[in-house]
Amino acid sequence: MTQFVLISEVGPRDGLQSLKSIMPTAAKKAWIEAEAAAGVREIEVGSFVPPTLLPQMADAAEIVAHACTIPGLTVAALVPNLFGARNAIAAGAHKISLPLSVSETHSLKNLRRSHDQVLDEVRAIAALVAEQPEGKRPHFEGGLATAFGCTLEGAVAEDQVVRMAAALIEAGCAEVGLSDTTGYANPAQVKRLIRRVRAEVGAQRLTGVHLHNTRGLGLANALAALEEGITTLDASLGGIGGCPFAPGASGNIVTEDLAFMLDSMGLDTGIDLERLLAVREIVKAALPDEQLYGFTPDAGLPLGYRGGWGLGPTSSSHSPSTP
Ligand code: ZN
């Protein structure tokens, strides 16, 4: 298992895009600043989709540009196509992710594109990235959405996930990610799929997974991924996001709970837990009508908790280390 685990906060994108409420731009900036100050090193801050489709993301360019002023923060953005990628790069994003639904039914319904059409888009984006001057080229990741199952197709064949991973790399992605978009994954499946995809594209081309907690298996799946050598885990503060297909179910795995799990295991996240828990107040105040999830925020840190339970330095004295 890796000693440093990168928690990639996706709340400002995955979380906010599925809520009815629209978070004001100033609150988004305050949230991102506070979370970076708590030690979070990577934040997916928005999605470059047409505002007519997702008004929650209309300020994506402004948010990316602002986040880029925060020292040491990797600023990620989701891009559905070449047009979005162009805007994300112009705004200064360090990392861009394009989702490809392994379930083609889901792809046609969500992106209104077949796999071939998405792969054409990937090739065009890869060319655009290559055109950027050295040092300004964003890291380009292809996210394998619905990799663990689909709300429209049900089971998704693992062979198909492996094939699409290879296709994304061939089309020009630097890396692929596995996304449990629907919250169907279980730990055995997470391990198996990571092994299979890594065997196909190489371990260095699959370093992160994106998990949801729809059925309460989020942290178990995260641990399974870590045991396979995954080093980046997506999570959202307060677990915001929800899932339109599972009313009442929480969204992404909860950043606070994930950070506590890793820290208490003696792993390094670079995150100060007390400061992270305090960020919740900003989100709560900006989204008064939305439910926030998480056990650690409700229960508080254990009595006398000093981080790592005797396995090294206290969390508050963690010196920032680079991932
Ligand atoms: Zn998601």
Side-chain angles (χ1 to χ4, degrees):
M1 231 192 264
T2 171
Q3 194 53 39
F4 182 88
V5 181
L6 179 68
I7 294 184
S8 180
E9 170 67 48
V10 297
R13 196 280 300 170
D14 201 353
L16 292 184
Q17 76 171 31
S18 47
L19 298 182
K20 271 190 229 89
S21 323
I22 296 179
M23 187 182 273
T25 303
K28 288 187 187 180
K29 290 180 181 175
W31 173 8
I32 291 161
E33 279 170 20
E35 208 166 321
V40 173
R41 312 291 168 79
E42 181 174 301
I43 306 182
E44 191 172 61
V45 301
S47 179
F48 284 80
V49 286
T52 43
L53 290 179
L54 281 179
Q56 301 93 322
M57 299 287 119
D59 54 6
E62 184 180 345
I63 296 293
V64 165
H66 180 76
C68 285
T69 65
I70 302 171
L73 180 68
T74 299
V75 179
L78 188 135
V79 299
N81 50 35
L82 178 63
F83 184 76
R86 207 170 267 138
N87 289 334
I89 293 172
H94 305 131
K95 183 174 170 181
I96 54 174
S97 303
L98 179 133
L100 179 147
S101 290
V102 180
S103 152
E104 197 155 31
T105 316
H106 191 268
S107 185
L108 288 165
K109 224 174 184 157
N110 260 15
L111 297 176
R112 278 167 295 164
R113 280 193 171 84
S114 69
H115 284 159
D116 283 344
Q117 289 171 310
V118 177
L119 290 169
D120 282 345
E121 213 72 37
V122 168
R123 278 180 210 100
I125 295 170
L128 176 70
V129 169
E131 275 168 25
Q132 304 306 307
E134 182 96 52
K136 294 237 164 196
R137 270 172 226 152
H139 189 69
F140 179 27
E141 184 181 302
L144 292 154
T146 68
F148 298 92
C150 170
T151 44
L152 303 167
E153 280 189 11
V156 167
E158 290 181 4
D159 285 352
Q160 177 71 352
V161 181
V162 173
R163 263 198 302 274
M164 295 321 294
L168 281 171
I169 296 295
E170 209 221 85
C173 286
E175 191 174 333
V176 293
L178 288 173
S179 296
D180 185 19
T181 317
T182 55
Y184 280 21
N186 67 72
Q189 186 188 17
V190 166
K191 290 191 161 217
R192 204 166 54 233
L193 206 49
I194 289 168
R195 277 185 209 175
R196 290 204 54 189
V197 171
R198 283 185 145 185
E200 179 72 24
V201 301
Q204 78 288 356
R205 294 201 188 270
L206 171 61
T207 64
V209 293
H210 175 96
L211 301 165
H212 281 227
N213 196 37
T214 317
R215 291 174 175 77
L217 302 190
L219 287 186
N221 290 336
L223 186 58
L226 286 176
E227 286 174 353
E228 286 302 318
I230 289 297
T231 53
T232 300
L233 295 166
D234 289 2
S236 89
L237 198 91
I240 59 165
C243 171
F245 304 102
S250 70
N252 293 101
I253 51 176
V254 176
T255 305
E256 300 92 310
D257 289 343
L258 177 64
F260 172 66
M261 179 178 86
L262 300 174
D263 191 77
S264 61
M265 288 170 72
L267 298 169
D268 182 12
T269 61
I271 295 173
D272 182 312
L273 288 175
E274 303 271 8
R275 290 183 78 176
L276 181 71
L277 291 170
V279 179
R280 215 169 147 94
E281 297 310 315
I282 296 172
V283 177
K284 225 187 250 176
L287 297 172
D289 301 325
E290 301 292 346
Q291 191 180 348
L292 299 191
Y293 302 91
F295 291 99
T296 309
D298 284 346
L301 294 174
L303 179 66
Y305 185 77
R306 289 170 60 74
W309 290 121
L311 289 163
T314 65
S315 69
S316 52
S317 70
H318 271 178
S319 56
S321 54
T322 33

